[in-house]
Amino acid sequence: MKRLRVFVVSDSVGETGDQVAKAVISQFRPSLENTVIRRFPHIQSEELIRKIVCLAAKQNAFIVYTLVRQEMQSLLHELCEKEMVYAVDILGPALKTMATFMEEFPLEAPGIVHQLDDDYFKKIEAIEFAVKYDDGRDPRGLLQADIVLVGVSRTSKTPLSQYLAHKRYKVANVPLVPEVEPPEELLKIDPKKCFGLIISPDKLNSIRKERLMSLGLNDDAIYAQHNRILDEIQHFEKIVAKIGCKVIDVTNKAVEETANVIIEHISNCK
């Protein structure tokens, strides 16, 4: 079997070219047997392109390239023709066609897609953070969080945390219960990043009864009783007063509405 050498040349990390090369090669060699794929990332100079083409000619390598700058595309193409090196341009034809369609010139800025990837990974990190520090599981997260939510049970702390996480905010939330002292970290955080979620007793009573019924339990449990709810709200008001944080009434608010209030408040505090 003929030994196959493939050079992946890119002005970014070369991941796109690498994946395309493997997809094509697998149609001839499903296990990529006797194949060497060498990646040349962050190629920004003409000198490097000349050296790579020269090396490809010596080693009889096939070049796959993803270069966004037209001058670099043209140079590599010309050198490959001169040295009789087989090469395929992955991005060039698509960029030209898109430019014609949109009647605009491309930015020709390497690595933009990976900036978007960074944004994606920040979102994933924030989602994982929200899960890890949900419902007061680990008070150490309070000092690391961008946003801290406090409130009695069933005030939408968890769904709100997840919604804000999709906006790339690291959110921790803490349930406030009269029988349990709040964690020390809660009183050490910046009040500007903490938000108390309050809800009307009647609305909370209705939500908790529905919750109990969905679990197959009686809706007259202490958890849903009016006096218990009033005690919890009184305890909540005592704690948020100590923190000195903003309180948001979520009685008739959708999660998105509450999130917008929080984001606007944080932006104004910067």
Side-chain angles (χ1 to χ4, degrees):
M1 181 184 291
K2 178 181 177 182
R3 186 172 181 79
L4 175 61
R5 292 182 183 274
V6 177
F7 289 179
V8 177
V9 182
S10 175
D11 46 22
S12 185
V13 295
E15 185 176 345
T16 301
D18 187 73
Q19 291 299 316
V20 170
K22 288 176 180 176
V24 173
I25 295 167
S26 67
Q27 294 299 312
F28 300 90
R29 299 176 183 176
S31 63
L32 302 183
E33 183 181 356
N34 208 25
T35 300
V36 176
I37 300 176
R38 184 175 176 185
R39 196 185 295 194
F40 295 85
H42 306 295
I43 302 302
Q44 303 285 344
S45 71
E46 294 185 2
E47 181 185 358
L48 283 175
I49 286 187
R50 294 181 189 279
K51 289 181 177 179
I52 292 168
V53 173
C54 182
L55 184 63
K58 289 180 180 178
Q59 297 187 3
N60 192 29
F62 184 97
I63 293 181
V64 172
Y65 60 101
T66 54
L67 301 169
V68 296
R69 290 167 53 193
Q70 188 172 352
E71 60 193 60
M72 301 292 270
Q73 296 170 17
S74 300
L75 175 62
L76 195 147
H77 176 75
E78 291 170 7
L79 291 173
C80 285
E81 282 197 335
K82 181 180 178 181
E83 298 292 338
M84 293 187 292
V85 172
Y86 282 90
V88 60
D89 182 0
I90 302 298
L91 294 182
L95 284 169
K96 289 176 184 175
T97 303
M98 183 66 77
T100 300
F101 173 73
M102 297 185 69
E103 298 180 346
E104 296 178 17
F105 292 106
L107 297 173
E108 296 190 356
I112 290 178
V113 70
H114 295 289
Q115 293 173 17
L116 297 176
D117 286 345
D118 288 342
D119 188 63
Y120 169 78
F121 286 118
K122 285 179 182 177
K123 181 189 293 186
I124 296 301
E125 184 182 1
I127 292 170
E128 290 176 345
F129 186 95
V131 171
K132 183 176 181 179
Y133 298 111
D134 181 46
D135 207 31
R137 289 175 187 165
D138 186 346
R140 292 175 297 181
L142 299 176
L143 300 176
Q144 304 169 36
D146 300 318
I147 296 170
V148 175
L149 305 176
V150 295
V152 301
S153 175
R154 314 312 297 177
T155 48
S156 300
K157 295 186 299 298
T158 295
L160 182 55
S161 295
Q162 286 295 321
Y163 184 88
L164 288 166
H166 278 81
K167 301 291 185 181
R168 297 172 298 285
Y169 291 98
K170 292 181 179 179
V171 186
N173 72 74
V174 180
L176 298 181
V177 184
E179 294 78 15
V180 180
E181 283 297 315
E184 293 180 8
E185 290 85 351
L186 190 58
L187 300 177
K188 295 179 181 178
I189 62 174
D190 182 351
K192 293 177 182 177
K193 74 174 186 179
C194 183
F195 297 86
L197 307 179
I198 189 67
I199 189 171
S200 76
D202 289 341
K203 180 69 173 179
L204 186 55
N205 175 259
S206 175
I207 292 172
R208 288 189 175 183
K209 282 185 175 182
E210 289 180 9
R211 175 61 174 167
L212 289 170
M213 291 172 64
S214 71
L215 295 173
L217 302 173
N218 293 328
D219 64 0
D220 60 350
I222 294 176
Y223 174 71
Q225 289 179 4
H226 215 76
N227 288 338
R228 170 64 186 186
I229 289 173
L230 292 176
D231 287 343
E232 289 187 25
I233 291 177
Q234 185 178 23
H235 176 70
F236 162 84
E237 291 173 342
K238 176 184 173 183
I239 298 301
V240 295
K242 282 186 179 180
I243 299 170
C245 64
K246 181 178 177 63
V247 175
I248 303 172
D249 189 339
V250 299
T251 303
N252 295 309
K253 281 188 174 67
V255 167
E256 296 84 353
E257 291 180 89
T258 307
N260 288 337
V261 171
I262 291 172
I263 293 171
E264 183 178 359
H265 182 80
I266 288 176
S267 299
N268 290 337
C269 289
K270 288 182 178 178

